[in-house]
Amino acid sequence: LSLNSDKDLSHRPKRRRCHETYNFNMKCPTPGCNSLGHLTGKHERHFAVSGCPLYHNLSADECKTPTPKQIRYKEQVAEIRKGRNSGLQKEQKEKHVEHRQTHGNTREPLLENITSEYDLELFRKAQARASEDLEKLRIQGQITEGSNMIKTILFGRYELDTWYHSPYPEEYARLGRLYVCEFCLKYMKSQTILRRHMAKCVWKHPPGDEVYRKGSISVFEVDGKKNKIYCQNLCLLAKLFLDHKTLYYDVEPFLFYVMTEADNTGCHLVGYFSKEKNSFLNYNVSCILTMPQYMRQGFGKMLIDFSYLLSKVEEKVGSPERPLSDLGLISYRSYWKEVLLRYMYNFQGKEISIKEISQETAVNPVDIVSTLQSLQMLKYWKGKHLVLKRQDLIDEWKAKEIKRGNSNKTIDPSSLKWTPPKGT
């Protein structure tokens, strides 16, 4: 489920790939490998194909003991590197500083005399290969200037394909892959940095107050003013999967309700919705997202249901921020349809009032009327609007409910521990 209140999301790519990948607690994916040894010979274990001796047709012992050819090459490189200057001279330092002051970030820093000529040549060759790859992608039309370079993110035990551009800082945005801590949402450039971060990161759940818990599902209320960095990182992450989302950094006027699923390693991000602290039009959702690995599992409906539960506690009638995207409208229309059919099923009277339905369900009367019209349950006859009780739709909904059984993908109002915030 994704909803953005600004523009249409109908241009979302059809292909949505999300597959599990290894993390630091899993085995090497190479068949028959026990994760022991490392291609460099420096580590006792490995977790990726790139470091797997078996994948490279070697043994762990062969990696630990360098061959005569490797020894000769290492000695040759060491001899070349002896020619490296001990450090920059005063005149060279002044030249480097002057270059930076003159050009700022518009030019690459001067690299001469910083390292050996051998290492500098290796770096230049790597730059050339990278630029050639980018040119090929541009020629093929896969990327354009200013387009999103972040194609995948490593998030927990998942590798996710991104759908849209997100305004991460430039040095991160031009990377092909981004590494994100699934708990604090800090973004990093490499798996090594992520591994070091995970060893030190003390976060196991979102900041803020846990306002709901049932089974393994929890919802945390995060104040954009108190936890600004976390909320900004959450918005940047969400933008990778939302087309025209515009809120990234101005998060202080919003509350974020973050849904997680817990296991023995922590509370994993399922999705979230943001909500204005003071909405003059009583919007109960500004932006909503379910992470790709949790889509089509009922979590989107749970997020919508939770937003209306908060409206009921506030004794208000809620509605998502307009305009709705095509996908957002489909998701909300499905939810409103289910709410109305459940109300009809339990209704025992003869006359139905739109106002009473709205007060009981917290759904805006405009949304109720539009849903009834789409279901062909609202007719105009002799100067009056009549609601038709279509038993076929009600029976179809009830059959699905019975088939679904006691699903844990429902919100239990008794598990909510929340009082409306006072002021901002």
Side-chain angles (χ1 to χ4, degrees):
L1 163 71
S2 60
L3 159 70
N4 181 272
S5 59
D6 298 318
K7 294 183 181 180
D8 188 357
L9 296 184
S10 59
H11 300 294
R12 166 176 298 178
K14 293 183 178 180
R15 186 187 177 202
R16 305 173 183 175
R17 180 174 64 86
C18 158
H19 58 270
E20 291 192 15
T21 184
Y22 55 85
N23 67 13
F24 313 124
N25 297 319
M26 296 177 68
K27 288 185 176 182
C28 172
T30 304
C33 183
N34 56 8
S35 292
L36 295 178
H38 196 279
L39 185 63
T40 63
K42 297 179 180 180
H43 310 290
E44 294 182 359
R45 296 181 63 82
H46 65 274
F47 305 95
V49 170
S50 58
C52 177
L54 184 62
Y55 176 81
H56 295 284
N57 302 309
L58 297 171
S59 67
D61 292 334
E62 286 177 320
C63 293
K64 289 182 179 179
T65 305
T67 64
K69 184 178 179 180
Q70 289 173 327
I71 295 174
R72 288 195 300 271
Y73 180 74
K74 184 177 181 181
E75 292 173 348
Q76 182 182 357
V77 171
E79 188 66 27
I80 295 174
R81 284 174 171 164
K82 284 182 180 180
R84 176 187 172 184
N85 293 329
S86 58
L88 294 176
Q89 301 298 324
K90 183 179 179 181
E91 294 180 358
Q92 294 171 335
K93 287 183 179 179
E94 291 176 353
K95 184 178 179 182
H96 281 245
V97 172
E98 182 183 356
H99 179 84
R100 173 53 62 91
Q101 290 175 347
T102 303
H103 300 288
N105 293 326
T106 61
R107 293 275 191 91
E108 180 184 76
L110 295 179
L111 302 177
E112 285 72 18
N113 299 314
I114 289 180
T115 185
S116 68
E117 291 295 328
Y118 173 80
D119 291 308
L120 184 57
E121 185 181 355
L122 286 179
F123 179 69
R124 293 299 189 199
K125 289 180 179 179
Q127 281 184 314
R129 286 198 299 269
S131 64
E132 187 177 8
D133 292 340
L134 289 178
E135 290 301 327
K136 288 180 180 179
L137 291 174
R138 287 194 173 94
I139 292 172
Q140 294 169 3
Q142 296 183 25
I143 62 171
T144 58
E145 290 291 342
S147 68
N148 184 27
M149 296 294 294
I150 303 173
K151 299 303 179 184
T152 61
I153 63 170
L154 194 68
F155 189 78
R157 61 193 182 95
Y158 294 96
E159 181 184 351
L160 307 175
D161 276 353
T162 62
W163 300 340
Y164 303 106
H165 168 73
S166 183
Y168 280 96
E170 183 180 354
E171 63 268 30
Y172 294 89
R174 56 176 176 236
L175 298 174
R177 173 183 289 188
L178 204 61
Y179 299 83
V180 182
C181 174
E182 63 174 327
F183 298 117
C184 71
L185 305 186
K186 181 179 179 181
Y187 45 90
M188 287 149 274
K189 295 181 178 180
S190 70
Q191 191 166 359
T192 301
I193 299 175
L194 177 62
R195 184 184 294 111
R196 292 173 179 171
H197 169 83
M198 295 300 293
K200 297 182 293 183
C201 185
V202 296
W203 290 41
K204 294 300 178 185
H205 59 76
D209 301 323
E210 185 181 24
V211 297
Y212 178 90
R213 182 193 293 183
K214 184 178 181 182
S216 61
I217 302 298
S218 295
V219 178
F220 292 82
E221 181 184 67
V222 185
D223 191 328
K225 187 175 183 180
K226 295 179 181 178
N227 301 280
K228 189 173 181 179
I229 300 300
Y230 176 87
C231 294
Q232 288 176 344
N233 288 342
L234 180 61
C235 289
L236 288 173
L237 176 65
K239 180 61 184 73
L240 293 171
F241 308 104
L242 296 175
D243 190 4
H244 296 292
K245 177 177 171 58
T246 57
L247 171 68
Y248 314 121
Y249 299 108
D250 185 23
V251 296
E252 296 184 11
F254 293 86
L255 292 170
F256 294 78
Y257 293 90
V258 184
M259 181 174 288
T260 64
E261 185 176 37
D263 60 17
N264 57 357
T265 61
C267 297
H268 305 280
L269 177 65
V270 171
Y272 85 99
F273 67 86
S274 59
K275 177 181 179 181
E276 280 189 278
K277 295 175 182 176
N278 291 316
S279 175
F280 295 105
L281 298 175
N282 283 336
Y283 289 141
N284 60 3
V285 165
S286 293
C287 186
I288 188 170
L289 169 78
T290 304
M291 291 297 290
Q293 67 269 32
Y294 289 100
M295 287 185 174
R296 303 182 65 86
Q297 299 177 38
F299 289 108
K301 188 185 73 172
M302 289 181 70
L303 284 168
I304 296 176
D305 199 21
F306 188 81
S307 69
Y308 279 105
L309 176 59
L310 299 185
S311 296
K312 292 177 185 177
V313 175
E314 293 177 299
E315 297 181 350
K316 294 180 180 179
V317 172
S319 183
E321 190 172 322
R322 297 306 201 272
L324 285 169
S325 66
D326 288 347
L327 292 174
L329 180 59
I330 291 171
S331 302
Y332 266 90
R333 184 62 57 76
S334 175
Y335 173 79
W336 292 330
K337 173 184 175 181
E338 187 171 320
V339 168
L340 288 176
L341 292 177
R342 181 182 292 108
Y343 184 90
M344 297 282 189
Y345 178 80
N346 296 322
F347 185 73
Q348 301 297 327
K350 294 183 179 180
E351 294 186 358
I352 289 181
S353 167
I354 301 295
K355 184 178 181 180
E356 289 178 0
I357 298 177
S358 177
Q359 290 174 344
E360 186 171 332
T361 62
V363 179
N364 191 293
V366 176
D367 299 329
I368 294 174
V369 171
S370 65
T371 305
L372 289 173
Q373 288 176 334
S374 68
L375 296 174
Q376 298 182 350
M377 296 177 69
L378 192 64
K379 298 294 182 182
Y380 187 75
W381 186 68
K382 291 185 178 181
K384 292 183 180 182
H385 285 94
L386 303 178
V387 177
L388 303 180
K389 187 176 181 181
R390 290 188 56 183
Q391 195 63 40
D392 57 332
L393 293 179
I394 297 174
D395 292 340
E396 182 181 349
W397 165 80
K398 188 59 182 176
K400 290 182 179 179
E401 282 284 293
I402 295 173
K403 185 178 180 180
R404 193 178 300 151
N406 295 325
S407 172
N408 60 349
K409 301 298 191 304
T410 55
I411 294 295
D412 182 7
S414 64
S415 298
L416 178 68
K417 308 296 180 186
W418 180 79
T419 53
K422 296 179 181 180
T424 58

